[in-house]
Amino acid sequence: MPRDRSSLTLGVLVGLLVLVSVLMIAFGLPEHTLLQRRLLQLYSVPLSGALALGVMHVLGRLPQLTTATRVVLVVAAAVTVAGVLAMAVGLFTGLDALLPLGQALMWLSLGFALLYLVGQLPRRREGRTFGLRPVDDDDEDIGHDDIAAT
């Protein structure tokens, strides 16, 4: 459960963007009209918006911005804008091959930025947050016969 109002708002916005994307797929599936084809071609744009919100959220969790982080964010923003422009040119000129290229640029740049920012987050002091522990012979699953006998 989110601890503050901004996290809750972010979760609602991301959920709405994912819902818009699913609805675009649902309405575009018959592919009979140009609008339906465009809906299917562009369904990942709201998902990219959700990913961008995730980048902004993680950015707000960083204790400080280093020069390297700023460079990564500027490059990611430039590549994302280039992807949006490629999609716009593809839509307005009819060059449908630019749509997947633009989407790929957006996804790769935003995904890389998110992974980089997550790597910059401060580590927890109490140790690992996830780990596997060895299985002892005493911890083995109880068989069905043992359950019935107890």
Side-chain angles (χ1 to χ4, degrees), residues 16-32:
L16 286 174
L17 287 170
V18 170
L19 179 65
V20 166
S21 184
V22 169
L23 290 174
M24 288 174 73
I25 293 170
F27 289 128
L29 272 179
E31 290 188 78
H32 295 303

Side-chain angles (χ1 to χ4, degrees), residues 7-25 27 42-51 53:
S7 295
L8 181 63
T9 303
L10 177 76
V12 168
L13 286 174
V14 167
L16 286 174
L17 287 170
V18 170
L19 179 65
V20 166
S21 184
V22 169
L23 290 174
M24 288 174 73
I25 293 170
F27 289 128
L42 298 174
Y43 77 90
S44 73
V45 173
L47 295 176
S48 297
L51 185 57
L53 287 173

Side-chain angles (χ1 to χ4, degrees), residues 77-138:
V79 173
T80 300
V81 168
V84 171
L85 290 175
M87 288 190 325
V89 168
L91 283 173
F92 292 122
T93 62
L95 296 172
D96 287 348
L98 289 177
L99 296 175
L101 173 67
Q103 290 174 354
L105 288 173
M106 288 172 39
W107 276 101
L108 290 173
S109 62
L110 290 171
F112 177 77
L114 184 64
L115 289 175
Y116 181 83
L117 290 175
V118 167
Q120 300 304 309
L121 288 173
R123 304 289 184 252
R124 293 184 181 207
R125 298 200 190 282
E126 62 264 7
R128 295 188 300 182
T129 57
F130 175 77
L132 298 176
R133 61 179 179 82
V135 177
D136 294 334
D137 289 338
D138 297 336

